[in-house]
Amino acid sequence: MLKSLNLNFSGGIHVQTMQRQSGIFIGERNVAIGWSSHGKENSVIGTISGQSNLLLHNISILNDPDFVDTPIDDRDIHISIENPDDENTTTNLTLESLNINRMEQNSSVFLGKGHVTGMDANQKINNSQGAVTGNYNQQVSNLNINHDEDMIDAIIDDRDIKIATWEKSSEID
């Protein structure tokens, strides 16, 4: 059984933004099993990034009077089985650098052999305005109101059976 990974990485990794359940996996064997990410987020303005942003005279109101807020049922069953592989594989990968501007929820970058199962994310987001990105943004005299009056808000029922098989390398040349 001959398996090899030749990874030449001479530069750097530059990541600006990573959100929930994001990952960068580098290596001979990347195994990610049973990822889960659940939640609720209320944002009146959201994320502001960049340089020299100006926000003046804003009124932000968040009113979220839920009777039951974000009940989450995440009773996952994860079964992982390691299987040896008979194949002769050789992977050659040459990178100078890796630039990632934005990784949203459930985003991944794999360099090398990757095996991902069970990756899920459930989320409710209320944004009056959302993200403000870039440089030299100006916001003057805005009114942001987020009114989310629900009896039961963001019911998340994510009961999964996740079965994964993955290979184990016994020899690396």
Side-chain angles (χ1 to χ4, degrees), residues 42 59 62 67 96 121 126 149:
N42 284 336
I59 298 173
L62 173 62
F67 183 70
E96 185 175 317
N126 287 339
E149 189 173 338

Side-chain angles (χ1 to χ4, degrees), residues 94-158:
T94 302
L95 293 174
E96 185 175 317
S97 64
L98 180 63
N99 296 312
I100 300 169
N101 289 329
R102 185 175 182 99
M103 292 182 72
E104 295 289 334
Q105 179 172 315
N106 272 1
S107 299
S108 296
V109 175
F110 288 87
L111 301 177
K113 189 168 188 172
H115 185 85
V116 179
T117 62
M119 187 172 175
D120 62 28
N122 302 301
Q123 182 174 352
K124 179 195 176 193
I125 300 174
N126 287 339
N127 288 325
S128 287
Q129 180 175 326
V132 177
T133 59
N135 297 327
Y136 310 111
N137 296 309
Q138 297 183 20
Q139 297 183 10
V140 179
S141 301
N142 289 328
L143 173 65
N144 298 308
I145 299 173
N146 187 342
H147 181 75
D148 182 25
E149 189 173 338
D150 301 314
M151 181 61 114
I152 301 174
D153 196 7
I155 299 171
I156 299 173
D157 188 358
D158 187 31

Side-chain angles (χ1 to χ4, degrees), residues 4-13 26-28 90-98 111-113 173:
S4 67
L5 170 70
N6 186 7
L7 177 63
N8 297 315
F9 191 71
S10 61
I13 300 173
I26 300 172
E28 165 194 324
T90 302
T91 304
N92 294 311
L93 182 62
T94 302
L95 293 174
E96 185 175 317
S97 64
L98 180 63
L111 301 177
K113 189 168 188 172
D173 288 335

Side-chain angles (χ1 to χ4, degrees), residues 14-58:
H14 306 283
V15 180
Q16 280 188 313
T17 303
M18 290 181 76
Q19 290 188 355
R20 299 169 43 125
Q21 194 165 341
S22 298
I24 299 173
F25 302 90
I26 300 172
E28 165 194 324
R29 181 180 52 156
N30 300 297
V31 178
I33 298 171
W35 288 26
S36 288
S37 177
H38 310 284
K40 179 192 175 192
E41 176 183 335
N42 284 336
S43 298
V44 177
I45 292 180
T47 303
I48 299 170
S49 61
Q51 296 175 353
S52 302
N53 295 305
L54 177 64
L55 294 126
L56 293 175
H57 308 293
N58 288 311

